[in-house]
Amino acid sequence: MSAAEVSRGRGRPRDPRTDEAILRAALELFTEHGHAGTSIEAIARRAGVGKLTVYRRWGSKDELIAAAVESARGEIPNPGTDDLDGMSYAEISQVIVDALPVSARTLTEPGYRAMLAQVFGSSVTHPGLMAAFWQNHILPRRRTAHLALSRAVEEGVLPPETDIEALIDMTVGAVLYRLLRSDPPDADELLQYLRAVYGQAGMIPRQ
């Protein structure tokens, strides 16, 4: 272990309030100004900390913005495959159904929709941000959806030739299309839409 590592290990523990302030500042600036208009200096200034404090926690702006985006999901449940492994299709689908009301409320918040638009708008010009967002935000949810649909195929709810990856893409695309259009749904409308889309895909029973 290096002297620097020893020194860090003996230092004061990280204050979670500082982490929260930095993530909140990064999310606000990114949502307001996009990737190009967000800097570590501006984030530190808005959070009321020094630049070094930010760099000790995140190695790059892309990492920090990706973490801030992930923090924006609020209370949306995200059960991992380890939590769901061994469950039947009915059990997994019930977990998904139970999560839908919170998901609908979060996804229809104007700030969340604006943040999503910035993320996807940065995908070509700043691929590192999309790579981090994909790894931390999208992939865990795809794995959950894949497990649910795999169970549906195994138990005969969906036909054996079902292309699960294509089905997930179509489901996500449908939800994003509904969120980003000029007349987005409110929370109740989106909840009904999520139930319909997930039901059509076989992720949950049709209601």
Side-chain angles (χ1 to χ4, degrees), residues 7 16 26 31 36 38-39 42 55 58 76 82 94 121 129 139-140 142 154 160 169 172 182 185-186 188 203-204 206:
S7 176
T31 301
T38 302
S39 67
Y55 279 118
W58 290 277
I76 295 179
D82 288 344
Q94 187 60 54
L129 171 59
L139 273 185
R142 285 188 72 92
E154 290 167 8
D169 286 344
V172 174
S182 60
D186 61 25
D188 289 338
M203 207 175 298
I204 62 175
R206 294 187 186 182

Side-chain angles (χ1 to χ4, degrees), residues 1-8:
M1 181 179 293
S2 69
E5 288 171 326
V6 171
S7 176
R8 284 198 299 269

Side-chain angles (χ1 to χ4, degrees), residues 39-100:
S39 67
I40 294 294
E41 291 82 357
I43 292 168
R45 187 163 53 248
R46 183 170 290 199
V49 300
K51 284 195 300 181
L52 212 56
T53 301
V54 178
Y55 279 118
R56 284 194 188 106
R57 289 161 166 77
W58 290 277
S60 70
K61 185 171 77 170
D62 283 358
E63 278 184 30
L64 173 51
I65 292 176
V69 167
E70 175 63 14
S71 73
R73 73 183 183 88
E75 298 178 356
I76 295 179
N78 182 36
T81 52
D82 288 344
D83 300 317
L84 303 176
D85 193 30
M87 288 188 179
S88 67
Y89 168 74
E91 291 169 329
I92 295 174
S93 63
Q94 187 60 54
V95 172
I96 295 173
V97 167
D98 291 343
L100 290 182

Side-chain angles (χ1 to χ4, degrees), residues 112-125:
Y112 194 91
R113 289 177 54 246
M115 178 271 295
L116 281 180
Q118 292 284 17
V119 169
F120 286 101
S122 302
S123 61
V124 174
T125 54

